[in-house]
Amino acid sequence: MAKGRERKGRVEPRFEADGSGDPASLDLRLSRGDRAGGGVAKDNSKGRDNSKGKTAPKRSARAPAAPRRRRRSFLGTLVYGTMILGLWGLVALAGIVAYHASQLPPIDQLAVPKRPPNIAILAADGSLLANRGETGGRTVSIRELPPYLPRAFVAIEDRRFYSHLGIDPVGIARAIGQNLTRRGVAQGGSTLTQQLAKNLFLTQERTASRKIQEAILALWLEHKYTKDEILELYLNRVYFGAGAYGVEAAAQRYFAKPAKDVTLAEAAMLGGLVQAPSRLAPNRNLPAAQARAAQVLAAMQELGFAKPADVKVALAQPARPARAKGGGSANYVADLVMDVLDDYVGKIETDVSVQTTVDPAIQAVAERALVDELNQKGGRYNVGQGAVVTMRPDGAIRALIGGRDYAQSQFNRATTAKRQPGSAFKPFVYLAAVERGLTPDTVREDAPINIKGWNPENYSRNYSGPVTLRDALAHSLNTVAVRLGMEVGPKAVVQTAQRLGITSPLQANASIALGTSEVTPLELVGAYAAFANGGMGVIPYVIASVKTSDGKTVYKRAPSSLGRVIAPDAVGMMNAMMHEVFVSGTAKKGDIPGWDLAGKTGTSQDFRDAWVIGFSGTLVTGVWLGNDDGEPTKKVSGGNLPVEIWNRVMSAALRGDKPVPLPGAARWRRSTAVASANPAPAEPPSLGGLIDDLVGGGQPPARQPAPQRGGPTREDKNFLERLFGVD
């Protein structure tokens, strides 16, 4: 290739050997100077290539030095380090959050757990008797409440509730500052949403793990629900002490009113209560509760939640808890309802209201009458307990008092305690005799009697000779009752009592005529109802209807009975004889002017039990007095203290009602002049405990046609089985 050949204005590079023409002689090696940085070293060749004898190209005497790094300032290093640490801190925090989130159920499966159902037990007029269930009160909508009630909780617990996203950094910082300055845990930083998350999903333990999960759940709640929905959930779940969960339960518990009716002062007290329910409960520490309420009112005024004038009134008239109503006898009714409710509606999964047959006015009178009598005379007569049952002739319970004070003893003596009825059992003996042909004017001998060594006596130990059955029952003559029992046979007496509704086991022996087998007050009153209604058997009941919280009726009682259990003529004769008990007999002190009354008193051996069961054509009431341990009283008989209580209850219950005649009694009643000529002896006690194996005795007269019986409903059968343990 020719040297310096040009092609189209360009000089092509030339690669030739050193003149020999041999390409192999071409030297392509790099010298030290040709390599990068080679110019830095000192060139000893002085510009010549010793090996080739040629002049080397000239190079710069000194190559440029590499740029030097600037040293950071201390502040820059600190900022840089902080940023790195913060970044790693965020990574660590994300890991911790992810870990604790993994311990929770998957978010897409998370749901607010159902609130345990509340059972609101109502009186016949719709007023609340008691709440049952785990919460103590029903669920309320925030729309039902006065505006200042939810605001009280926001003001004192979470004033930034409507602006944060579930977690309040400002509140947390403020709480930390408060706690540091006070040297202790003085204030928490949890929002209402966090508190709700804890109540819904978590335990009450105070650990870092639980707080992280609480924050995660709070964010989920804020995403899932509106602020008002969160506040409504909170108000229905928060604990107020004394077994009250939710604002409705708390209002009923402390102020005996629904939450929709609380005043501003009461709302402030409820708002302050959740911080420490045990310490601030107004029924336990009223000064502390009122002081806390004042703080709530100040916060409400500061935030504009309450007018200064209203706050001033609330501070001047602070809230006070409502006084307990006596011993809370309505709880005995509530317990009875809960005992049998499952048989009517099955499993309960939502709030329900149970309307009962109880008349709150009669209930209050009966409770007051029993408590007053025991307070005034219990010590003198050595009697400490009692029970009262009032019932319509169809079996609907109008009042039920199971003891002197529910707070002291929840044992329901009206439904559960089985005691000897004494002479109060005699009407079943006389009815068995009447159904076999005897009448009120039939004469039997009042004289000493001996049955295989058993010698029952009258209380007075005196004997009147021949007496009519009317007088024998009115004056409760033991010898005549035993003779009648032996005439008809103890088995017939037992069958008669069972037909009328006595479900407790009865011993068919001679002493059954004197009431030695134990029964409950409720079943005895229920059996007497057949006399009051003209001969129809009834099963006592207390539930009239059951509705869900949205008003759907899930149960409504249909009219039912056991059918006719006493023939009309027999009812008339029995009512005429038992009427004499109130005219000239042992219950004369219980007479109510203008009313036809009938019934029977009873006293068990050694004055352990004292009874009176009496009725008009519209109402039946039974009273029992005694001691739980069976200790004898100091001569409490059916004709003294029980009759006084009975008269007070029935006088109030019948006030304003129109008197009605006793079914069938007019035909068999004797004149008042004849009745007044017979003085009323003292109430004789029966001779319980002297039970023998004697049965039968004598041939009974021809019996009357058997009464017709209906059938109990399924609910009635379940009621009997659950309440009395019978099939």
Side-chain angles (χ1 to χ4, degrees):
M1 184 179 293
K3 289 185 180 179
R5 183 183 297 175
E6 295 182 0
R7 184 179 294 176
K8 295 183 181 181
R10 291 192 308 174
V11 178
E12 295 293 334
R14 185 177 59 180
F15 300 98
E16 291 181 338
D18 54 355
S20 63
D22 184 4
S25 64
L26 183 63
D27 186 3
L28 298 179
R29 292 176 296 176
L30 294 176
S31 67
R32 183 184 298 270
D34 293 328
R35 290 185 173 89
V40 178
K42 185 176 179 179
D43 188 1
N44 294 324
S45 64
K46 296 182 180 181
R48 293 185 178 273
D49 188 347
N50 294 332
S51 63
K52 301 294 182 180
K54 294 182 179 180
T55 302
K58 292 184 178 180
R59 296 181 181 273
S60 173
R62 189 171 183 177
R68 296 173 59 186
R69 292 184 180 179
R70 274 188 184 177
R71 294 184 62 187
R72 268 193 203 92
S73 67
F74 174 76
L75 180 61
T77 302
L78 182 63
V79 171
Y80 178 76
T82 302
M83 291 177 61
I84 295 299
L85 288 175
L87 180 61
W88 280 108
L90 288 175
V91 172
L93 179 62
I96 293 172
V97 171
Y99 169 76
H100 287 93
S102 69
Q103 307 303 307
L104 297 171
I107 291 296
D108 58 348
Q109 299 178 16
L110 204 60
V112 171
K114 287 185 177 181
R115 186 174 185 265
N118 179 70
I119 298 95
I121 299 171
L122 311 178
D125 62 0
S127 61
L128 182 68
L129 291 176
N131 281 300
R132 284 292 185 270
E134 297 180 26
T135 58
R138 70 180 182 90
T139 300
V140 293
S141 166
I142 200 169
R143 295 187 299 272
E144 298 178 53
L145 305 174
Y148 50 75
L149 180 53
R151 289 174 182 173
F153 293 85
V154 173
I156 197 64
E157 290 290 318
D158 187 4
R159 58 175 55 201
R160 289 167 47 81
F161 172 71
Y162 284 100
S163 60
H164 63 63
L165 298 177
I167 304 171
D168 185 10
V170 175
I172 294 173
R174 183 177 64 249
I176 293 173
Q178 291 276 351
N179 296 337
L180 289 175
T181 57
R182 299 185 188 184
R183 295 185 179 181
V185 182
Q187 185 174 2
S190 295
T191 64
L192 287 178
T193 314
Q194 287 176 270
Q195 294 179 41
L196 176 61
K198 178 180 65 177
N199 290 337
L200 290 177
F201 303 107
L202 304 173
T203 65
Q204 298 300 313
E205 63 176 346
R206 303 182 68 175
T207 63
S209 176
R210 201 267 296 159
K211 292 295 291 184
I212 293 171
Q213 291 179 331
E214 178 185 291
I216 295 170
L217 292 168
L219 294 173
W220 177 81
L221 285 170
E222 291 279 349
H223 172 73
K224 186 77 173 178
Y225 299 97
T226 67
K227 288 289 186 178
D228 281 350
E229 288 173 337
I230 291 172
L231 189 55
E232 182 175 298
L233 283 169
Y234 175 85
L235 292 174
N236 281 295
R237 305 294 181 111
V238 67
Y239 183 58
F240 289 88
Y245 289 85
V247 70
E248 176 71 11
Q252 294 285 358
R253 174 66 181 84
Y254 295 116
F255 306 122
K257 62 174 66 173
K260 65 183 180 65
D261 294 336
V262 299
T263 64
L264 176 60
E266 292 166 343
M269 186 169 285
L270 291 176
L273 182 59
V274 297
Q275 182 192 53
S278 298
R279 179 171 58 85
L280 297 174
N283 58 348
R284 298 180 60 184
N285 191 350
L286 183 58
Q290 291 178 339
R292 177 68 172 168
Q295 295 177 355
V296 177
L297 289 169
M300 294 179 72
Q301 181 175 330
E302 178 186 345
L303 295 172
F305 289 169
K307 297 178 181 179
D310 295 336
V311 171
K312 185 177 181 180
V313 172
L315 290 171
Q317 301 174 0
R320 303 184 67 88
R323 291 183 178 180
K325 298 179 179 179
S329 68
N331 287 294
Y332 290 115
V333 176
D335 288 349
L336 174 59
V337 169
M338 296 305 296
D339 284 343
V340 301
L341 185 59
D342 285 353
D343 297 327
Y344 292 83
V345 298
K347 185 178 180 180
I348 297 173
E349 296 183 347
T350 184
D351 286 1
V352 297
S353 59
V354 181
Q355 187 164 37
T356 69
T357 57
V358 171
D359 184 324
I362 301 177
Q363 180 79 14
V365 169
E367 178 181 2
R368 193 75 262 151
L370 175 65
V371 172
D372 287 349
E373 192 78 6
L374 292 175
N375 287 345
Q376 295 169 11
K377 302 179 181 179
R380 190 196 326 165
Y381 286 89
N382 189 39
V383 57
Q385 277 297 346
V388 181
V389 177
T390 297
M391 183 184 299
R392 284 201 313 248
D394 67 349
I397 297 171
R398 303 295 279 165
L400 186 143
I401 315 297
R404 184 175 187 171
D405 188 336
Y406 185 86
Q408 293 182 0
S409 172
Q410 290 79 53
F411 180 63
N412 196 332
R413 295 155 190 85
T415 63
T416 308
K418 294 189 176 184
R419 309 296 293 243
Q420 290 184 349
S423 295
F425 194 83
K426 288 178 181 176
F428 306 120
V429 180
Y430 279 73
L431 175 59
V434 164
E435 289 178 339
R436 283 156 177 78
L438 279 64
T439 72
D441 296 320
T442 298
V443 175
R444 286 293 180 268
E445 190 76 15
D446 176 24
I449 184 173
N450 184 300
I451 303 175
K452 292 188 177 182
W454 178 43
N455 301 296
E457 298 177 330
N458 294 330
Y459 173 71
S460 64
R461 301 187 183 219
N462 295 323
Y463 303 96
S464 304
V467 293
T468 63
L469 298 190
R470 186 195 317 272
D471 290 335
L473 182 60
H475 302 153
S476 201
L477 301 179
N478 287 339
T479 60
V480 175
V482 172
R483 279 190 166 87
L484 290 177
M486 298 307 294
E487 283 185 32
V488 301
K491 286 185 178 179
V493 174
V494 169
Q495 291 168 354
T496 301
Q498 291 174 338
R499 190 173 77 236
L500 269 63
I502 298 297
T503 55
S504 293
L506 302 175
Q507 300 297 318
N509 49 49
S511 65
I512 188 68
L514 303 183
T516 54
S517 289
E518 296 176 335
V519 297
T520 68
L522 180 59
E523 62 181 322
L524 194 57
V525 171
Y528 271 66
F531 298 120
N533 66 30
M536 307 301 291
V538 304
I539 292 177
Y541 69 96
V542 70
I543 297 177
S545 65
V546 181
K547 294 182 179 180
T548 60
S549 55
D550 58 2
K552 180 182 177 182
T553 299
V554 295
Y555 169 79
K556 186 175 179 63
R557 183 176 179 85
S560 64
S561 75
L562 296 176
R564 179 164 292 281
V565 294
I566 312 175
D569 278 353
V571 172
M573 286 187 275
M574 288 302 304
N575 285 344
M577 289 191 286
M578 286 191 285
H579 175 65
E580 292 297 322
V581 175
F582 279 85
V583 173
S584 62
T586 55
K588 188 176 181 180
K589 289 169 57 178
D591 188 44
I592 301 174
W595 280 89
D596 276 349
L597 304 174
K600 187 71 186 74
T601 60
T603 311
S604 69
Q605 187 181 21
D606 296 331
F607 299 97
R608 287 185 171 88
D609 304 281
W611 300 74
V612 60
I613 315 293
F615 56 92
S616 68
T618 58
L619 209 60
V620 188
T621 293
V623 178
W624 166 83
L625 294 181
N627 294 307
D628 287 338
D629 60 2
E631 181 182 356
T633 67
K634 294 180 179 178
K635 295 190 176 182
V636 177
S637 69
N640 50 42
L641 273 59
V643 164
E644 293 173 4
I645 297 171
W646 186 94
N647 179 266
R648 183 172 169 181
V649 174
M650 288 291 282
S651 295
L654 297 176
R655 187 176 296 122
D657 290 351
K658 183 179 180 180
V660 297
L662 292 169
R667 175 185 172 189
W668 303 96
R669 184 173 299 170
R670 68 182 177 190
S671 67
T672 303
V674 175
S676 61
N678 294 278
E683 166 69 16
S686 69
L687 301 179
L690 301 177
I691 301 175
D692 56 37
D693 297 326
L694 294 174
V695 295
Q699 296 297 321
R703 71 171 65 221
Q704 296 186 0
Q708 298 177 351
R709 298 185 61 184
T713 64
R714 175 182 60 83
E715 292 83 3
D716 288 336
K717 290 179 179 178
N718 290 336
F719 180 91
L720 287 175
E721 182 176 357
R722 189 176 287 267
L723 190 60
F724 301 120
V726 299
D727 197 357

